[in-house]
Amino acid sequence: MAEHKILINGVWRVADAERYIQANNPTTGEAIAVDYPVSSWNDCDAALSAATGAWQQLQTLEREVIARFLEAYAERIEHNAPALVEMAHLETGLPTSPRLSDVELPRTTGQLRQAAQAARQASWTMPTIDTQNNIRSMLQGIGPVAVFGPNNFPFAFGSASGGDFAAAIAAGNPVIAKANSSHPGTTRLFAELAQQAAEQVGMPKATVQLIYATSRETGYKLVSDHRLGATGFTGSRNAGLALKKAADEAGRAIFLELSSVNPVLVLNGAAQNHGQTIIDEFTMSCTASAGQLCTKPGLLIVPTGQAGDSLVAAIADKFDCAPAGTLLGRYSAEQIAETAAKLQSIGAQRLTPQSELSRGRFCHPTTLLSVTGEQFIAQPQICQSEMFGNASLVIRSESIEQTAAIISQLEGNLTGTIYSDQSGLDDADYSVLERLLREKVGRLINDKMPTGVAVSSAMNHGGPFPSTGNAGVTAVGFPAASKRFGALKCFDNVREHRLPDVLRDKNPGEIWRLVDGQWTMADL
């Protein structure tokens, strides 16, 4: 049976394996007959030592070389798109088109190019100059970064290709990529292309390294090692918090994207006058990619009354007719079923049939449940249990006051949406609820579902705990995403020629700097 090597310090070599894993084909439920090693600490130790040397080299490397690497990597991804799409489809069951080839792959190359621009301009460094006291500060690379990618975005959030990867590299840090066990082959193909691009432009050998898997104990040891600057993690709450505990105890930085139920509020006027739009958009948002998106709306708060009743009934009918999409993992259907059963045990009403599906393929019936506002307020923790897949919970609110009480019980989320009538009928209610919801979410949305996450410099893909481990930072959008992987450095009375170029009085780059309290464009 084939066995794949790990990438350490520019060399693909046999791992010091504790055991081996195989990915599964979600469309058949069968294992893919390729072995991937579960690395021992020896592999991680070697990767950390090599990354330390690479980081030291990157501190003196011209920003232009880093930018060219990211751009060359994007070009290689585009040239090898068919192989990447084929492998990702095999390992995840995600559709080749439009999802992988037409949506996720262009997003991945686009954000790599945005990261290249951030590296070239160094705007993420936030250079600040106090000429009176001759004190200057800026963000510099924090050190080697370990990236743990999720199962649901093998390209755009992949550990060797995604947003955390691009942000860390743009900030001048080498990356140790830990593949997701759902798509190790896809991550391997990306790492091969990244290594080729690094060699092409002259990046340090250990700029990109790859291990496929570790034991839990080894993973904890990795994120807490003193040689590691930071960790970027996207995945389940339990796994992320366990890694955070280990990193926090060692004083190492870790940035987590965890669970989010992304509440959608429908106000009375919107339910009456825009019901069909909401029905169609909510159903699409909950069933696209089988609902396996971190911004899927897991809660829908709807007013009681005829308009709300009709809206919920129509959504239930559309859910019932929607095909059950393929889930990423063997245990995904079990997790949805267990959470749905827990909700029903506290009185939730099931609005869609509990139909049987064919065996083999990883899937679960598209599911809609409902609770009253009173039930939610009585059991807010259970009602906010994430169902990561094609399932959502409706909350029937009796009044604006009850909706406000519901919002007050919400955990932190990535997004929060309010649908209101376009004529201004809901404006008074909106003013009351928006102030409350804004404090619970990272991105406040009006009149559209939250599942689209544009790679924009204005985007915030983050939110209060437990949607992320660090409120106030974003995993998407440049230059802000790179700030997570920078450390603030101060230069006090340092001579001009010894300063980093962005802190010199006459800086040759095109960059905004904060000089004596005023934002100014550097001299060209």
Side-chain angles (χ1 to χ4, degrees), residues 306-507:
Q306 183 177 353
D309 292 344
S310 298
L311 186 145
V312 172
I315 291 174
D317 287 343
K318 288 186 77 77
F319 267 48
D320 186 28
C321 296
T326 299
L327 298 172
L328 293 160
R330 183 179 301 278
Y331 302 108
S332 298
E334 293 179 9
Q335 186 271 329
I336 297 172
E338 288 173 3
T339 303
K342 188 189 303 182
L343 288 165
Q344 288 178 276
S345 73
I346 65 165
Q349 178 186 1
R350 190 182 186 96
L351 304 180
T352 49
Q354 195 165 356
S355 55
E356 290 291 330
L357 299 176
S358 59
R359 295 176 179 270
R361 182 170 69 97
F362 299 161
C363 57
H364 187 275
T366 303
T367 300
L368 190 67
L369 299 159
S370 176
V371 295
T372 66
E374 185 178 355
Q375 288 171 323
F376 180 92
I377 292 167
Q379 298 277 2
Q381 186 171 1
I382 293 175
C383 289
Q384 292 178 82
S385 300
E386 184 182 29
M387 292 184 283
F388 192 69
N390 51 336
S392 287
L393 176 68
V394 175
I395 305 169
R396 304 302 309 279
S397 177
E398 295 180 354
S399 64
I400 291 300
E401 291 75 21
Q402 189 173 75
T403 300
I406 291 166
I407 295 173
S408 72
Q409 296 294 321
L410 290 174
E411 296 181 331
N413 282 275
L414 295 172
T415 73
T417 299
I418 303 178
Y419 275 85
S420 59
D421 185 66
Q422 300 293 334
S423 70
L425 182 64
D426 294 318
D427 282 3
D429 292 341
Y430 180 91
S431 295
V432 172
L433 300 177
E434 183 269 347
R435 290 193 297 270
L436 302 173
L437 185 62
R438 191 196 320 154
E439 302 305 316
K440 301 286 186 175
V441 303
R443 177 164 57 115
L444 179 71
I445 304 169
N446 276 191
D447 306 320
K448 67 176 185 177
M449 291 296 160
T451 39
V453 182
V455 183
S456 162
S457 56
M459 175 55 65
N460 177 20
H461 190 61
F465 182 84
S467 62
T468 68
N470 312 76
V473 299
T474 179
V476 173
F478 295 93
S482 285
K483 293 178 184 177
R484 297 170 298 159
F485 303 118
L488 185 63
K489 301 296 182 180
C490 183
F491 300 81
D492 189 343
N493 204 40
V494 174
R495 298 174 195 174
E496 171 87 1
H497 70 281
R498 295 172 177 171
L499 290 168
D501 61 351
V502 299
L503 293 181
R504 295 173 187 171
D505 290 333
K506 292 195 173 182
N507 167 41

Side-chain angles (χ1 to χ4, degrees), residues 67 75 121 163 244 412 468 476:
E75 290 178 6
Q121 294 185 342
K244 179 174 170 58
T468 68
V476 173

Side-chain angles (χ1 to χ4, degrees), residues 11 76 97 168 192 214 221 256 291 296 395 424 488 493 505 509:
V11 177
R76 288 180 180 272
S97 180
E192 290 174 352
T214 68
K221 193 173 181 180
L256 310 174
K296 182 207 74 180
I395 305 169
L488 185 63
N493 204 40
D505 290 333

Side-chain angles (χ1 to χ4, degrees), residues 42-108:
N42 291 335
D43 288 341
C44 295
D45 184 52
L48 285 162
S49 294
T52 300
W55 180 64
Q56 292 168 350
Q57 296 174 61
L58 284 167
Q59 300 316 292
T60 59
L61 196 66
E62 292 183 4
R63 296 193 303 274
E64 179 62 27
V65 178
I66 296 174
R68 289 205 307 268
F69 160 68
L70 291 163
E71 291 167 342
Y73 184 23
E75 290 178 6
R76 288 180 180 272
I77 290 171
E78 289 168 343
H79 292 157
N80 290 273
L84 290 164
V85 168
E86 181 182 359
M87 178 67 81
H89 172 66
L90 174 67
E91 293 185 321
T92 67
L94 294 170
T96 57
S97 180
R99 168 60 193 269
L100 291 170
S101 61
D102 306 322
V103 177
E104 194 174 341
L105 191 141
R107 170 178 170 159
T108 303

